[in-house]
């Protein structure tokens, strides 16, 4: 069969990885796909930089629309990123009858419903394995491998930058700001790391996994997002003493009243495998009713790990592009007419347990007052740890840290109790609240 022809929009780190892996493993990939897959056109505004990456093995153009207009191109790979131009180009490629592969989680998390509807109407495929967790095939696992299961929850470390920072904070006892600068120096964090450290990148990815796991539309605007910027080294130390590690988790869960969709720091028992995922690595846990708990681990970013996922999508399309659209795997795992209308729950309706750290005056009756407020809010305490004054402020200190672990309760109840505790004159600093996830 004639090789399938691919055009890459935005040949950079990932695009060059796709090009090189396809060249290196060409025969192996052809044996799997049943036909050759060739990158014949690439775009980049700086043509000289693109030519340095691909040489004379592909045509280089400055305008991505030239690739979309080429009738010989079967698949368009979008690697430009962002929302605006990428959306325009993807919709134009679909309108031109091209299949699309993208690594753009932000685009699909925000505009996925529109893009998938356009692709369905045109009878073309949109594949996005590379949009979530880099080289880990979590999209395929959720969409195909776990088809028999009613998925109960998904929890993942899906941002390598934040996991690197938290790992370094734990290993070296350093505060967030110090480790962030080191992560930027080493290239793990961008010059503007906001999307990573504030949890937005993880929420984009979680939105896609949630849609596939539960057959709901992509609803990024309803995700609860909390980053790691407020975490202190002392919280990581105290968590360790209590048998936990702190990870930035993306969590989506099916409940009787709706779907939880939330990204925030979490205490995870140190004995869980996912708690021991260190550095810039990613890992995703999935709980299915038939299979139980499964764990997917690997590199969440990088040129060739992400290229691995892009090429897997190219192979899928090469195998299926001549099949009737009804015979292909649906974009979000469930048939388009059978999507669920289960609501995404506001954070106040989520039930979980908590770690609380209060900096309080070191005087009699403080702990009784705090625990009394929790009891009046019907919040049960699991454990209490108090650091002596000399461990917090040195000899003669008048402050101490009280650490409380709670049992499960409604978030709205916890919010009300926290407001009351924060108003106490003996509470001397903003209370630290971190949710606790047993993942069992």
């Amino acid at each position: 069969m004639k090789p399938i022809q691919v055009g890459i929009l935005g040949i950079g780190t990932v695009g060059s990885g796709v090009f090189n892996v396809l060249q290196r493993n060409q025969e192996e990939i052809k044996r799997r796909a049943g036909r050759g897959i060739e990158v014949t056109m690439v775009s980049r505004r700086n043509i000289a930089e693109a030519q340095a990456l691909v040489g004379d093995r592909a045509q280089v153009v400055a305008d991505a629309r030239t690739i979309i207009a080429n009738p010989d191109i079967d698949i368009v790979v979008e690697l430009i990123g962002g929302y605006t131009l990428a959306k325009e180009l993807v919709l134009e490629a679909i309108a031109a009858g091209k299949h699309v592969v993208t690594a753009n989680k932000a685009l699909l998390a925000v505009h996925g419903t529109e893009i998938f509807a356009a692709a369905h109407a045109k009878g073309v495929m949109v594949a996005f394995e590379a949009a979530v967790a880099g080289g880990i095939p979590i999209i395929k696992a959720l969409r195909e491998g776990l088809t028999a299961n009613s998925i109960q929850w998904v929890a993942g470390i899906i941002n390598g930058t934040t996991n690197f920072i938290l790992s370094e904070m734990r290993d070296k006892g350093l505060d967030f700001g110090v480790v962030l600068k080191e992560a930027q120096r080493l290239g793990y964090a961008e010059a503007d790391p906001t999307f990573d450290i504030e949890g937005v990148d993880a929420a984009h990815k979680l939105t896609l996994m949630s849609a596939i796991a539960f057959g709901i539309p992509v609803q990024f605007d309803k995700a609860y997002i909390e980053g790691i910027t407020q975490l202190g080294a002392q919280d990581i130390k105290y968590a360790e003493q209590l048998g936990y590690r702190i990870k930035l988790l993306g969590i989506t869960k099916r409940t009787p009243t709706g779907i939880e969709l939330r990204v925030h720091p979490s205490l995870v028992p140190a004995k869980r495998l996912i708690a021991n995922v260190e550095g810039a690595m990613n890992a995703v846990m999935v709980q299915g009713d038939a299979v139980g708990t499964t764990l997917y681990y690997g590199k969440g970013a990088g040129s060739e790990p992400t290229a691995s996922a892009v090429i897997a999508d190219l192979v899928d399309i090469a195998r299926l592009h001549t099949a009737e659209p009804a015979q292909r795997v649906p974009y979000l795992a469930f048939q388009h007419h059978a999507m669920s209308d289960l609501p995404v729950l506001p954070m106040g309706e989520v039930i979980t347990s908590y770690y609380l750290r209060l900096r309080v005056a070191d005087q009699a009756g403080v702990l009784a007052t705090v625990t009394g407020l929790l009891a009046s809010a019907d919040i049960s305490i699991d454990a209490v740890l108090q650091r002596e004054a000399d461990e917090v402020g040195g000899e003669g200190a008048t402050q101490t840290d009280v650490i409380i672990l709670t049992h499960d309760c409604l978030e709205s109840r916890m919010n009300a109790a926290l407001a009351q505790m924060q108003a106490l004159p003996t509470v001397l600093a903003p209370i630290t609240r971190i949710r606790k996830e047993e993942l069992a």
Side-chain angles (χ1 to χ4, degrees):
M1 293 178 71
K2 172 177 165 287
I4 201 159
Q5 295 194 29
V6 177
I8 297 178
L9 313 184
I11 184 95
T13 301
V14 175
S16 61
V18 171
F19 191 84
N20 292 333
V21 173
L22 274 174
Q23 293 282 323
R24 187 171 74 235
N25 297 338
Q26 190 174 81
E27 287 307 310
E28 193 82 356
I29 291 166
K30 183 177 180 180
R31 288 171 57 206
R32 289 177 167 143
R35 64 191 301 181
I37 299 173
E38 297 179 355
V39 175
T40 54
M41 292 185 76
V42 302
S43 73
R44 184 163 174 159
R45 287 178 180 171
N46 189 319
I47 289 181
E49 288 181 357
Q51 286 175 332
L53 295 172
V54 302
D56 59 0
R57 296 169 292 175
Q59 181 183 351
V60 178
V61 296
D63 185 357
R65 289 182 167 88
T66 306
I67 294 175
I68 295 171
N70 186 337
D72 293 328
I73 295 294
D74 302 296
I75 307 173
V76 168
V77 178
E78 183 276 307
L79 299 174
I80 292 172
Y83 300 102
T84 309
L85 178 60
K87 179 187 175 186
E88 293 173 6
L89 294 174
V90 165
L91 289 174
E92 287 173 22
I94 289 169
K98 314 289 188 189
H99 302 293
V100 172
V101 173
T102 179
N104 193 336
K105 63 269 184 180
L107 173 67
L108 294 181
V110 175
H111 300 296
T113 299
E114 179 184 354
I115 289 168
F116 295 139
H120 176 76
K122 196 68 179 178
V124 299
M125 289 176 273
V126 174
F128 52 96
E129 183 66 67
V132 180
I136 304 173
I138 187 60
I139 298 301
K140 185 174 284 292
L142 287 169
R143 193 164 57 185
E144 299 175 48
L146 299 175
T147 299
N149 290 260
S150 173
I151 302 298
Q152 296 164 341
W153 52 261
V154 179
I157 296 168
I158 44 180
N159 181 272
T161 299
T162 51
N163 200 52
F164 173 81
I165 290 171
L166 291 175
S167 296
E168 289 291 289
M169 288 175 70
R170 184 179 69 84
D171 287 345
K172 299 177 180 177
L174 299 173
D175 278 320
F176 169 80
V178 176
V179 178
L180 173 60
K181 289 179 181 177
E182 178 67 5
Q184 289 172 315
R185 187 186 69 81
L186 294 171
Y188 287 113
E190 303 285 346
D192 180 1
T194 305
F195 263 35
D196 293 322
I197 63 176
E198 295 295 352
V200 177
D201 175 77
H204 285 146
K205 298 167 184 174
L206 183 69
T207 297
L208 295 174
M209 290 196 294
S210 181
I212 295 169
F214 305 120
I216 60 173
V218 290
Q219 298 173 74
F220 172 73
D221 60 320
K222 295 181 181 176
Y224 175 83
I225 308 171
E226 182 181 316
I228 65 170
T229 56
Q230 300 306 310
L231 290 177
Q234 69 268 44
D235 294 310
I236 291 174
K237 179 183 70 174
Y238 292 153
E240 195 86 5
Q241 292 172 2
L242 290 161
Y244 292 86
R245 291 185 179 172
I246 297 177
K247 297 292 184 181
L248 183 74
L249 291 184
I251 299 167
T252 185
K253 186 182 298 186
R254 186 201 305 267
T255 78
T257 55
I259 303 298
E260 296 178 9
L261 184 62
R262 49 194 173 98
V263 171
H264 50 71
S266 301
L267 266 73
V268 181
K271 63 186 178 182
R272 299 276 181 263
L273 286 173
I274 199 168
N276 294 280
V277 173
E278 300 291 355
M281 303 300 280
N282 282 197
V284 181
M285 293 178 72
V286 182
Q287 178 77 19
D289 68 325
V291 74
T293 305
T294 54
L295 176 70
Y296 308 84
Y297 168 86
K299 292 183 178 178
S303 177
E304 293 202 353
T306 308
S308 170
V310 170
I311 294 167
D313 283 339
L314 293 176
V315 170
D316 273 354
I317 293 174
R319 290 168 174 162
L320 295 171
H321 87 289
T322 57
E324 290 295 320
Q327 305 306 313
R328 299 169 183 160
V329 180
Y331 313 112
L332 297 177
F334 293 77
Q335 298 297 331
H336 76 281
H337 60 272
M339 299 295 283
S340 171
D341 59 359
L342 269 175
V344 173
L345 297 175
M347 195 62 194
E349 296 179 22
V350 167
I351 295 174
T352 188
S353 53
Y354 299 87
Y355 159 102
L356 308 175
R357 178 174 59 82
L358 295 81
R359 177 63 58 85
V360 299
D362 187 15
Q363 61 188 53
V366 173
L367 183 57
T369 302
V370 168
T371 56
L373 288 175
L374 289 172
S376 65
D378 198 24
I379 298 171
S380 176
I381 294 173
D382 179 40
V384 176
L385 176 69
Q386 185 168 340
R387 295 292 88 184
E388 297 299 328
D390 60 354
E391 293 182 77
V392 174
E395 188 175 351
T398 58
Q399 302 177 6
T400 187
D401 276 347
V402 173
I403 298 94
I404 299 172
L405 299 184
T406 77
H407 291 293
D408 284 350
C409 70
L410 196 65
E411 173 106 357
S412 58
R413 284 213 312 268
M414 176 56 74
N415 290 341
L418 282 173
Q420 290 182 302
M421 289 188 288
Q422 192 67 70
L424 294 172
T426 49
V427 174
L428 306 176
I431 298 170
T432 296
R433 180 256 304 273
I434 306 173
R435 295 162 190 91
K436 184 161 65 76
E437 301 293 331
E438 294 297 328
L439 302 181

